[in-house]
Amino acid sequence: MNTDTKASTLDARKGSGEANLRLPTRYDQLEVEAALQKKWEELNTYRFDRDDRARPTYSIDTPPPYPSGEFHMGNALNWCYFDFVARYKRMRGFNVHFPQGWDCHGLPTEVRAERTYNIKKREVSVDKFREICVKLTTEYIEKMKMAMQSMGYSIDWSLEYRTMDPDYYKLTQLSFLELLKRGFLYRGEHPVNWCPRCETAIAEAEVEYIHSEGTLIDIRFSTDKGSLIVATSRPELIPACVALAVNPTDARYVNFVGSEAVVPVVNRRVPILTDELVDATFGSGVVMICTFGDKTDVLWQHKHSLPVVKILDSQGRLTEEAGKYAGLSTSKAREAIVRDLKEASQVGGSKPLSREIGTCWRCHTPVEILSAPQWFMRTKDMTDQIIEQTNKVTWVPDFSKNRMIDWAKSLDWDWVISRQRSFGTPIPVWHCRQCGAILPAEKEWLPVDPRSQSPQAASCASCGSHEFVGDADVMDTWMDSSITCAVHAGWPEKLTEFERLFPADLQPNGLDIIRTWDYYLMARHLAMFGKPPYKTVLVNGMVRGADGRMMHKSYGNYVEVTEAVKKYGADSVRQWAAAGGSTGYDIPYRWADVEYGRKFLTKLWNAARLILSSLQDYDPDLPAPELDLLDKWLLSKLNNLVRASTDAFENFQFSVATDSARNFTWHDLCDQYLEAAKYRLYSDNREGAESRRAAQYTLFRTLDTVLKLLAPICPHIADALYSELWRDHLKPRSIHANAWPQVNEQLIDDESEKQGSTLVRLLSEIRRMKSDKRLSMKAPIKKLKIKAGEEAVKILSRHIDAICQIAVVQNVEIMQIKPATGKPESEREPEFQLAAEF
Ligand SMILES: [Zn+2]
Ligand SMILES: [Zn+2]
């Protein structure tokens, strides 16, 4: 028999406080949640109090999402984690700083703007194009904000910011100028990763490696000492070949080293070198060095002082350097060159080759390596410092720290921060038309767009010229979003505020952006302030679809947050996020988990109605009454729960906190205690008055505490029930403005827990027996014989009255059975043997 039906039969019969109860029978979750969200907003429940100097602050540096217009389950999980912490810390007495921003700039918006308005970026002015992008971004932000609000996140919206707003990007520009002054930025011509489709430089963090099937082709090079075979998967780069190389220990080619080879197609003579990085077992053991086929080529070009042949243009087409192949795409050039070499009998065998290739994270086009003037931040030199500081920060879970360290170690190049795009923060610099010297903007000129604005009253420091060209590039969007910790803390104006809020107490983000967000924040803030920007990094895993694959629209396993909230309400989705998996690990999205969340809410609602209706005449200010065994049992378990839950929140173990609170509520409170306490709550005899008050006392404390423990996870139902619990006793403050429960050590009582558990187990056996016989729980038992072990007999003998009252038994006989020692657990007798006469 399920307890929900029991609760409603009880509701129907008890009558007493029902009339006064304002809670409807059915929990209309969506209505209650929407009403509370509105109330919180009106009351500024989550506002950071700047004037409050008494409470310690707790600042959360939340990642500003890219405004795509969609808020998916992965985002929901992210934000749930931030919100669990924010709500818990608020109840622990912290003045919580929980801002929300939007990382607006970037190529995806440019592409959408072109599509939506059917224009080409180059057809309209920079200002006009920017205006269109801003409009589109604003619309997307509104959509995402609505989804966030429907989840009940306790964001302080008065701290909202958008990186595309002049107020914000002025700070991005200011930090650029500061870093330039301190020597952390430089402009130089170095090979960089380049996306030929997006036509821009991209950072190493933006290159995604994928598996790709290619062909390894043997090409014959003639040399002074006879011909050599070179195996290559990219014959289109042959015109950029500047040397051949072999391993110095490779005996096959000793005679060739030091002589020259002729590059087919372009007939250029190039040296034959040795280098220990050449893998003698790959292909023929001879490699061609092309500038630039890959990162090793970049290394070799530098090490052996080889010339640079710029073979590709910004769109990935072959240049004049490729002679007759100029203007062809790489794939067309590959076909043409192989065909010509075949005709010249310079192609040997070929075989399939499976390899890793780098692609653009935005558009998945294979990246090329190009050399062009760019702006860089000197991050390579900071590697040791970054690792040292990373080790000082707390990472949750601990393994995520290694992601950061491995990434920092793996970087080969400085961070390229300029992008050849439109919708981004302009680089606040002009170039002298005469001598090329750089003129950085003055602080007072910011925000500034050198693409359309001239420098104010300035002449070139080197040559005195007054003619300048604005820098045409914009910054990597990570330049905008990697100063958030400082911006939130009030940099550069509010320096007293800065000391309070910097570094951020919490840096929460997904596993996937450790190498960008966490890394860039660390590098930027170390360079600017000499301090790491965060104290603790809280990492969440990714959300997988029900099929175990990453959630993706094209897989058909994608779920919109708004869809889930509409079906099951925010508190149910939030329970999935909390309990769906361990912190830091990937979690699957399962509708069943969300459904379970809603069942729990229904259970809690019904239990709370039952409790509240029995508390109508209860006065919490009266001194504590004498408690029965089960009262002590429940309160002891409750206080152990408070301890476990506090530990779990302190350690960001949201699944532990949620599961323990739900299990206690469902089983100990509803299934056991409420069932056993009913007869006390509704007794109308005078002798029962004290016992009734003890049950009321226990239920009042328990409901109050459980709601507080659930408040970070299920903020809506917790607040709704809490205001009802306290409405006749206190000004109805939101539960979220209340203190987290303390462990009451005096109520932790191992002996009562042990005795209470024995009694509770017996009572459920009796209930099961009645239920098996299809009898009502109130059906009287004329005679009950209980056989149990020695210890249980001792305990039960002390509580015969309670057994009779609770289970409606007229006569009880308790006997001892011999302990079944030596048998494996599975063969042991049940704890109790019951025989009943009805
Ligand atoms: Zn791209
Ligand atoms: Zn000059």
Side-chain angles (χ1 to χ4, degrees), residues 431-449:
H431 304 269
C432 172
R433 204 185 278 280
Q434 293 296 323
C435 74
I438 281 163
L439 175 73
E442 298 290 331
K443 278 183 198 170
E444 297 70 36
W445 304 352
L446 305 181
V448 70
D449 189 348

Side-chain angles (χ1 to χ4, degrees), residues 107 194-200 202 359-365 367 421:
L107 188 76
W194 185 274
C195 175
R197 200 211 66 88
C198 301
E199 290 185 57
T200 181
I202 58 176
T359 62
C360 167
W361 75 294
R362 293 274 197 205
C363 71
H364 309 296
T365 304
V367 296
R421 302 203 295 226

Side-chain angles (χ1 to χ4, degrees), residues 409-472:
K409 283 185 185 162
S410 79
L411 289 168
D412 294 314
W413 298 337
D414 279 339
W415 176 17
V416 52
I417 56 167
S418 44
R419 295 289 180 274
Q420 290 64 52
R421 302 203 295 226
S422 265
F423 188 45
T425 297
I427 291 180
V429 154
W430 289 263
H431 304 269
C432 172
R433 204 185 278 280
Q434 293 296 323
C435 74
I438 281 163
L439 175 73
E442 298 290 331
K443 278 183 198 170
E444 297 70 36
W445 304 352
L446 305 181
V448 70
D449 189 348
R451 295 173 298 178
S452 56
Q453 289 169 260
S454 306
Q456 296 171 27
S459 59
C460 173
S462 310
C463 73
S465 161
H466 294 282
E467 281 186 61
F468 292 95
V469 191
D471 199 298

Side-chain angles (χ1 to χ4, degrees), residues 71-73 75-76 147 150-151 559-566 573:
F71 196 75
H72 53 75
M73 292 317 294
N75 298 130
S150 77
M151 284 291 287
V559 179
E560 278 276 356
V561 171
T562 41
E563 181 195 350
V565 171
K566 250 181 222 148
V573 181

Side-chain angles (χ1 to χ4, degrees), residues 192-213:
V192 291
N193 291 297
W194 185 274
C195 175
R197 200 211 66 88
C198 301
E199 290 185 57
T200 181
I202 58 176
E204 284 175 281
E206 293 168 304
V207 178
E208 274 178 7
Y209 289 89
I210 58 158
H211 232 68
S212 165
E213 302 302 322

